[in-house]
Amino acid sequence: MQPLAPGSTIGILGGGQLGRMLAQAAARLGFDVAILEREADSPAARVAAQLIEGAYDDEAALVRLAKAADVVTYEFENVPAGSVDILTDHGVDVAPGALALAVAQDRVAEKTFLNARGAPTVAFAEAATPREAVDAVTRIGAPALMKTRREGYDGKGQKWVEHAADAAAVFEALGGVPVIVEAPADFVRELSVIAARGRDGAIAVYPLGENHHEGGILRRTVAPAQVTPALADQAERIARQVLDGLDYVGVIGIELFELPDGRLLVNEIAPRVHNTGHWTQDGCEVDQFEQHIRAVAGWPLGPTRATARVEMLNLLGEDADAWAKLAAEPETRVHLYGKRDAKPGRKMGHVNRVRAL
């Protein structure tokens, strides 16, 4: 694919905050954006050049998007595989591609892929029945974390199993759907690496971020994280193995566990721009959103060097009501998503507190 010229149209599946920030980045580079989204009043739709209203599996809406866009990307990984097929059948490229979606949508496929690429994970087993769930926990050992194989985010769709005898009940509590059972990771902290791969195979890796969660939801990321050169090299090697293995185009988020002995395990991958990469908006020469647009448009990747130390704090629910106080802080950059209703735990925005390196 030839690099897209300014004035071309980039299609985005999804109208949430990630789609909004992607659309804003695309506009800065001179692109128009067409959003496919069910809700007309979505955060992304209100900053895009065009809204195509419809479900993500609405064939007529997908055909309209294919005709409007020169390339299509997405803001979430649970895009129906059939939707990608419809778009490509109508002549528009989708990036990242179908393989990345297939791997990221199924936790068993994800860990199997990672291990095959030399990216280590915790031990795991799969189960599709209550009996298999008991067997899986028995093999892995309790306590173990049981997750639905598909969907689930921010701590949803998962439960701890304290004893193998409880596995069948936990399986049913998760909906009686296929699950993965994971061994616990004895980690000292969670890190993440944001990386990008261009259409020419070039790879750009951002400095690592250190992440802190509350109630299963990311609360803050501090970056660049304080890490040794050896740990940074290990993370970059993992990122390259994943990106090349997926023949990836775009930005990816890779969550990592740092073990006491300095080894890194991959927790999960997200084939899109990532919450733990929001710090790059005010801490890097080219942020993750512009980088993703550059990659899918076939442009050269931009530099990833950190220009500041940043603490990114998610604004959940009514946290965003403090916008005036936050905006008055000289070191704080406010990013609000334009969501209408503040609900407990809902990501309404984030702030980046910027300090010198």
Side-chain angles (χ1 to χ4, degrees):
M1 176 183 131
Q2 292 296 313
L4 295 183
S8 302
T9 297
I10 295 176
I12 300 176
L13 289 168
Q17 67 262 24
L18 298 180
R20 180 186 180 97
M21 289 182 279
L22 284 170
Q24 291 168 327
R28 290 198 304 271
L29 297 180
F31 295 111
D32 288 337
V33 170
I35 298 289
L36 175 67
E37 170 59 47
R38 290 166 293 191
E39 298 178 15
D41 193 38
S42 68
R46 297 203 306 277
V47 300
Q50 182 179 357
L51 167 67
I52 298 171
E53 194 172 348
Y56 306 129
D57 58 355
D58 181 331
E59 183 170 358
L62 289 163
V63 171
R64 287 179 60 200
L65 181 64
K67 290 179 178 179
D70 297 287
V71 67
V72 173
T73 189
Y74 43 86
E75 67 149 11
F76 65 106
E77 55 266 49
N78 290 316
V79 175
S83 298
V84 176
D85 293 339
I86 291 170
L87 289 167
T88 54
D89 286 348
H90 283 81
V92 66
D93 182 71
V94 179
L99 177 58
L101 282 174
V103 167
Q105 287 178 358
D106 184 323
R107 289 188 169 96
V108 171
E110 179 182 60
K111 282 189 164 51
T112 300
F113 164 81
L114 289 168
N115 290 174
R117 294 298 302 178
T121 67
V122 297
F124 66 97
E126 58 185 289
T129 67
R131 179 68 256 173
E132 289 178 2
V134 173
D135 292 343
V137 174
T138 301
R139 290 199 307 277
I140 295 297
L145 187 59
M146 188 180 296
K147 302 177 181 177
T148 56
R149 283 182 63 162
R150 292 181 173 272
E151 300 183 341
Y153 61 95
D154 288 344
K156 299 178 176 66
Q158 61 184 53
K159 290 182 178 293
W160 282 98
V161 184
E162 299 298 334
H163 307 281
D166 302 330
V170 173
F171 177 85
E172 296 295 355
L174 289 173
V177 296
V179 298
I180 185 172
V181 175
E182 299 177 358
D186 181 23
F187 62 95
V188 294
R189 58 177 171 169
E190 182 187 294
L191 301 166
S192 59
V193 59
I194 306 298
R197 186 173 184 271
R199 291 189 178 273
D200 59 356
I203 290 175
V205 181
Y206 288 91
L208 275 75
E210 180 176 331
N211 307 315
H212 300 268
H213 292 77
E214 293 177 9
I217 300 175
L218 180 71
R219 190 58 171 171
R220 68 188 184 102
T221 294
V222 179
Q226 295 294 321
V227 299
T228 63
L231 196 70
D233 289 346
Q234 190 181 163
E236 180 169 339
R237 184 170 63 251
I238 287 171
R240 289 180 177 276
Q241 290 167 325
V242 171
L243 289 168
D244 286 338
L246 294 172
D247 193 20
Y248 197 86
V249 173
V251 164
I252 195 169
I254 305 176
E255 297 177 6
L256 304 163
F257 293 138
E258 180 187 355
L259 302 184
D261 62 4
R263 289 183 300 125
L264 292 174
L265 299 181
V266 179
N267 178 29
E268 63 182 30
I269 63 176
R272 52 173 170 78
V273 288
H274 198 253
N275 196 169
T276 64
H278 291 355
W279 72 274
T280 63
Q281 290 174 300
D282 299 293
C284 289
E285 292 175 298
V286 170
D287 68 43
Q288 66 165 344
F289 300 99
E290 179 180 329
Q291 194 78 281
H292 187 79
I293 296 299
R294 282 172 170 257
V296 301
W299 285 28
L301 298 181
T304 56
R305 184 178 67 88
T307 57
R309 187 169 304 283
V310 177
E311 179 190 41
M312 188 284 300
L313 181 70
N314 273 330
L315 301 178
L316 306 177
E318 295 180 353
D319 290 348
D321 292 346
W323 57 267
K325 173 182 176 295
L326 294 167
E329 298 173 1
E331 77 281 6
T332 300
R333 308 292 176 264
V334 181
H335 301 265
L336 298 176
Y337 304 151
K339 295 181 179 179
R340 302 300 192 192
D341 301 316
K343 300 175 183 177
R346 191 182 194 195
K347 294 172 183 173
M348 302 298 295
H350 67 272
V351 295
N352 285 329
R353 292 197 166 104
V354 182
R355 299 175 177 86
L357 279 171

